[in-house]
Amino acid sequence: MLESGFSEEDLAAECELMVRQQILERGISSPALLDAFLNVPRHLFVPADYISQAYDDRPLYIGSGQTISQPYIVALMTDSLRLTGGEKVLDVGTGSGYQAAILAEIAARVYTVERIPELAKSAKTLLEGLSYDNIEFLDGDGTQGWPEHAPYDAIIVAAAAPAVPESLKAQLKMKGRLVIPVGKPYGQMLKVVTRTKKGFTTRDACPCIFVKLIGREGYEQ
Ligand code: SAH
């Protein structure tokens, strides 16, 4: 039994139910992706007070005015990157670190950037404690990407931008994919941008609501 009153078995059962009902039954069936969601204990990524809601079908507050995305949205965004293993991925908006852990389960290396130092620090402590040795952390403005490690096979942005940041497009490999919510602060469209020989193609995945991407190529505040 954990301090919270939940047993590890109960939480593992809730995780399995989440994967089946919220991800698989909604049409996302990649075995590597489903395994990743089964392997990452989402309840460790939410504040202790919210542990009973960790596997609910919604986003949750994680402190500093930020949220951990709804499980289905994390799955949809990850699925849109079409990862097969071996990739180098840039994750903008570390937040709780949950999305970074999911990516680290599937891809070879994950570079994650967060602008709020307290969130970056707690995510790093948690992910290192879980023995992820393929994630690197940066405190800073992710609208500028992380040029030292570019180009990336895939880039994922978990905060809403007024437009797709040019710096991120420039850090994509040929055929690389970028998934990002674009639009007004109170409602956006999730966009999937692919780099092609001729430039970039963009498709709309679904309407969504994210916190603001704040930075040089994001919102001002
Ligand atoms: N992927 C996270 C979701 C966090 S919410 C998770 O799995 O929990 C979005 C995060 O983006 C917030 O933590 C916010 O502080 C961060 N963010 C906003 N603008 C940013 C920027 N320009 N660079 C890096 N992180 C940013």
Side-chain angles (χ1 to χ4, degrees):
M1 196 69 85
L2 303 178
E3 234 172 82
S4 58
F6 291 90
S7 70
E8 289 289 355
E9 291 74 27
D10 290 346
L11 292 163
E14 283 206 40
C15 182
E16 272 184 56
L17 207 61
M18 172 194 88
V19 170
R20 193 170 76 238
Q21 295 181 335
Q22 298 175 38
I23 302 177
L24 182 61
E25 288 176 8
R26 289 183 189 157
I28 298 176
S29 58
S30 148
L33 184 146
L34 298 175
D35 275 350
F37 278 82
L38 289 172
N39 287 343
V40 179
R42 183 170 162 98
H43 59 274
L44 299 182
F45 292 81
V46 304
D49 290 352
Y50 293 141
I51 201 163
S52 65
Q53 298 161 54
Y55 295 96
D56 287 1
D57 191 12
R58 60 190 182 90
L60 291 172
Y61 183 65
I62 54 170
S64 306
Q66 306 303 323
T67 54
I68 175 173
S69 305
Q70 177 191 9
Y72 175 69
I73 287 289
V74 180
L76 188 72
M77 291 175 83
T78 308
D79 195 48
S80 73
L81 299 177
R82 298 272 178 259
L83 302 173
T84 54
E87 292 90 352
K88 184 159 83 169
V89 185
L90 177 68
D91 172 47
V92 175
T94 313
S96 68
Y98 182 68
Q99 174 77 73
I102 296 289
L103 293 168
E105 290 278 337
I106 306 171
R109 277 216 96 63
V110 178
Y111 296 89
T112 186
V113 188
E114 172 58 54
R115 64 178 282 274
I116 300 179
E118 302 85 76
L119 289 176
K121 190 163 174 262
S122 57
K124 185 170 193 272
T125 305
L126 175 60
L127 291 165
E128 287 179 352
L130 289 170
S131 301
Y132 286 103
D133 57 7
N134 59 344
I135 307 178
E136 289 195 40
F137 301 83
L138 179 70
D139 287 9
D141 177 8
T143 67
Q144 304 303 290
W146 190 342
E148 287 84 343
H149 300 288
Y152 300 95
D153 298 289
I155 301 177
I156 187 163
V157 183
V164 182
E166 289 299 324
S167 301
L168 295 183
K169 285 163 76 177
Q171 290 175 33
L172 265 187
K173 273 188 198 167
M174 186 56 64
K175 293 193 180 160
R177 285 160 188 258
L178 159 65
V179 60
I180 180 169
V182 177
K184 301 269 187 286
Y186 43 82
Q188 309 94 36
M189 179 57 72
L190 192 64
K191 302 220 174 240
V192 184
V193 179
T194 306
R195 184 167 212 157
T196 66
K197 277 195 197 131
K198 291 187 185 156
F200 296 90
T201 60
T202 303
R203 98 177 150 81
D204 290 349
C206 69
C208 55
I209 305 177
F210 280 81
V211 297
K212 280 190 282 186
L213 181 72
I214 297 171
R216 218 162 117 195
E217 290 178 65
Y219 283 98
E220 270 181 30
Q221 259 315 317

